[in-house]
């Protein structure tokens, strides 16, 4: 998403990922990318989705959202007026994802590969959906998370003291939960086989399976990072000083071909 509130997309295939936007001239407030689709919040707080099963995984155009999160085959968001959760899923995931009864108000909801986690206003963190990899099974949390991050097989929590916690990955663990010790984090992201984070000092670190340089390919000449996003087998970040995008890792569908 650019500073002029426009969105640019690249990579993917015509029937899956958002290679092109449905309406390019609109102004956006936020964008979220899932496994096979993407969604954005417009300036009027309504949502548009595009990609595979966009009509099924996207909310009705009349409903307004405060935030939105695209997952593998579903999309969940916080309704603007009520802070309640609404989820929309492809046919095979509707009972699993949409069957959750959103009781009360929430401050955040995140979508993973086939699961959802949220932060309730009372501080609790419910998770639901596909649980093959224990990504919905929480141990005791040290405090209320500042932010949740949903991955394909994992869920990650960032706390106010800069610490990170990961759960899930049962049978799919290749180091995604091995968070580098002794670091305070300002943000982090995880997808399927690797994770990355930006420390409070601005350094970007990645861990997990290094597919095509998705972990070890962090540009060494960049001293400080502003933001990051972890994809299937690639990673992208925005540099702090120039605010330009750099991507590394797998490029089989043009993920690294930044416009």
């Amino acid at each position: 998403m650019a500073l002029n509130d426009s969105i640019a997309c690249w990579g993917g295939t015509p029937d899956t990922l958002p290679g092109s936007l449905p309406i390019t001239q609109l102004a956006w407030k936020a964008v979220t990318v899932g496994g096979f689709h993407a969604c954005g919040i417009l300036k009027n707080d309504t949502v548009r989705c595009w990609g595979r099963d966009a009509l099924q995984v996207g909310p009705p155009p009349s409903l307004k959202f405060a935030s939105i999160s695209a997952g593998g085959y579903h999309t969940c968001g916080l309704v603007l007026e009520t802070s309640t959760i609404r989820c929309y899923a492809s046919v095979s995931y509707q009972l699993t994802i949409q069957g959750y009864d959103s009781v009360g108000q929430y401050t955040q909801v995140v979508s993973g590969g086939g699961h959802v986690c949220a932060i309730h206003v009372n501080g609790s963190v419910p998770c639901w959906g596909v649980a093959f990899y224990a990504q919905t099974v929480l141990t005791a949390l040290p405090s209320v998370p500042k932010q949740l991050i949903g991955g394909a097989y994992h869920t990650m929590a960032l706390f106010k003291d800069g610490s990170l916690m990961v759960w899930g990955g049962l049978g799919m663990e290749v180091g995604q939960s091995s968070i580098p010790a002794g670091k305070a984090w300002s943000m982090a992201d995880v997808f399927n086989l690797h994770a990355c984070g930006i420390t409070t000092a601005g350094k970007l670190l990645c861990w997990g399976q290094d597919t095509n340089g998705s972990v070890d390919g962090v540009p060494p000449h960049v001293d400080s990072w502003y933001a990051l996003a972890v994809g299937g087998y690639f990673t992208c970040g925005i540099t702090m000083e120039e605010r330009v995008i750099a991507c590394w890792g797998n490029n089989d569908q043009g993920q690294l071909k930044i416009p």
Side-chain angles (χ1 to χ4, degrees):
M1 185 169 175
L3 294 176
N4 64 359
D5 299 328
S6 64
I7 294 176
C9 296
W10 61 95
T13 58
D15 68 324
T16 58
L17 219 62
S20 60
L21 288 169
I23 302 176
T24 58
Q25 68 270 26
L26 296 178
W28 305 83
K29 295 177 67 174
V31 63
T32 175
V33 179
F36 303 98
H37 72 289
C39 298
I41 300 180
L42 293 164
K43 287 293 186 178
N44 65 1
D45 299 313
T46 61
V47 173
R48 300 286 181 89
C49 295
W50 56 98
R52 182 183 294 178
D53 296 331
L55 294 179
Q56 295 179 23
V57 299
S62 59
L63 197 58
K64 296 185 176 183
F65 284 83
S67 64
I68 201 83
S69 178
Y73 304 90
H74 62 285
T75 306
C76 293
L78 290 181
V79 179
L80 183 62
E81 293 185 355
T82 62
S83 295
T84 54
I85 295 173
R86 292 285 185 90
C87 291
Y88 307 87
S90 60
V91 174
S92 58
Y93 279 78
Q94 284 179 357
L95 290 178
T96 304
I97 298 298
Q98 296 177 202
Y100 178 77
D101 184 12
S102 172
V103 178
Q105 296 177 311
Y106 292 79
T107 60
Q108 187 192 8
V109 60
V110 297
S111 298
H115 71 288
V116 183
C117 291
I119 302 175
H120 195 278
V121 291
N122 65 11
S124 62
V125 180
C127 294
W128 63 97
V130 175
F132 298 143
Y133 311 104
Q135 65 269 54
T136 62
V137 181
L138 281 74
T139 56
L141 298 177
S143 61
V144 178
K146 174 184 176 182
Q147 181 186 8
L148 295 175
I149 303 102
Y153 314 119
H154 296 73
T155 308
M156 182 181 288
L158 174 64
F159 298 93
K160 292 181 180 179
D161 63 358
S163 62
L164 280 175
M165 177 178 173
V166 180
W167 60 92
L170 182 65
M172 296 296 293
E173 184 59 50
V174 290
Q176 309 97 311
S177 299
S178 301
I179 302 168
K183 307 293 183 182
W185 306 92
S186 62
M187 68 174 58
D189 198 11
V190 60
F191 196 75
N192 54 1
L193 301 181
H194 78 289
C196 299
I198 298 177
T199 69
T200 52
K203 186 175 180 60
L204 196 157
L205 302 174
C206 295
W207 56 95
Q209 181 170 297
D210 184 40
T211 306
N212 295 326
S214 56
V215 171
D216 293 339
V218 180
H221 62 279
V222 180
D223 295 325
S224 185
W225 295 85
Y226 174 74
L228 68 88
V230 173
Y233 301 100
F234 67 100
T235 309
C236 292
I238 300 177
T239 63
M240 179 63 75
E241 293 185 4
E242 297 87 0
R243 298 295 171 91
V244 296
I245 299 173
C247 295
W248 55 95
N250 190 27
N251 192 38
D252 64 337
Q253 295 181 354
Q255 303 96 310
L256 310 187
K257 296 179 180 179
I258 305 166

